[in-house]
């Protein structure tokens, strides 16, 4: 029940906020331009579905490559931290032995 109330509150807040924003002429024009562009793009891709799939695949491949690069960078950073910690731990051990 709590989840439903939360989602209803979020939805209602979004609707009220969007409606309130449309009182501004500039916001209405922006919304109209974006909806017109979305309509135009969706009409184009409905007429050319293979291009839509190709663009989607290219976007996914780019996201996948970016994610893989980020993961590789994160692993490299963790390895550097591990190496640094090992050096610090080894220095402490050498000092304790002496």
């Amino acid at each position: 029940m709590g989840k439903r109330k939360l989602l209803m509150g979020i939805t209602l807040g979004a609707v009220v906020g969007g409606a309130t924003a449309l009182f501004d002429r500039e916001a209405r024009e922006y919304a109209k331009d974006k909806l017109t562009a979305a309509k135009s793009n969706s009409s184009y891709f409905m007429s050319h579905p293979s291009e839509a799939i190709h663009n989607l695949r290219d976007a996914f491949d780019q996201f996948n490559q970016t994610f893989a690069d980020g993961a590789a960078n994160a692993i490299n950073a963790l390895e550097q931290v591990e190496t640094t910690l090992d050096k610090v731990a080894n220095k402490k051990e050498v000092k304790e032995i002496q």
Side-chain angles (χ1 to χ4, degrees):
M1 188 67 174
K3 181 180 177 182
R4 182 181 174 118
K5 284 183 182 180
L6 176 65
L7 293 177
M8 182 63 84
I10 291 171
T11 303
L12 186 61
V15 169
V16 170
T20 303
L22 291 178
F23 283 118
D24 180 36
R25 169 173 271 167
E26 188 176 320
R28 282 194 310 270
E29 289 175 4
Y30 177 79
K32 181 181 174 187
D33 290 343
K34 290 298 179 181
L35 287 173
T36 302
K39 179 183 174 191
S40 174
N41 286 337
S42 63
S43 296
Y44 177 79
F45 286 127
M46 291 298 286
S47 301
H48 303 89
S50 62
E51 187 173 342
I53 298 299
H54 177 74
N55 290 348
L56 182 63
R57 183 173 181 175
D58 284 347
F60 181 76
D61 287 343
Q62 183 179 4
F63 169 78
N64 195 19
Q65 184 62 42
T66 303
F67 184 80
D69 292 343
N73 289 339
I75 289 170
N76 185 23
L78 289 173
E79 287 175 349
Q80 289 177 0
V81 168
E82 182 181 21
T83 302
T84 303
L85 289 174
D86 286 343
K87 287 178 183 178
V88 170
N90 287 338
K91 283 183 180 179
K92 284 184 179 179
E93 289 176 5
V94 170
K95 286 183 180 180
E96 289 176 2
I97 292 174
Q98 293 175 354

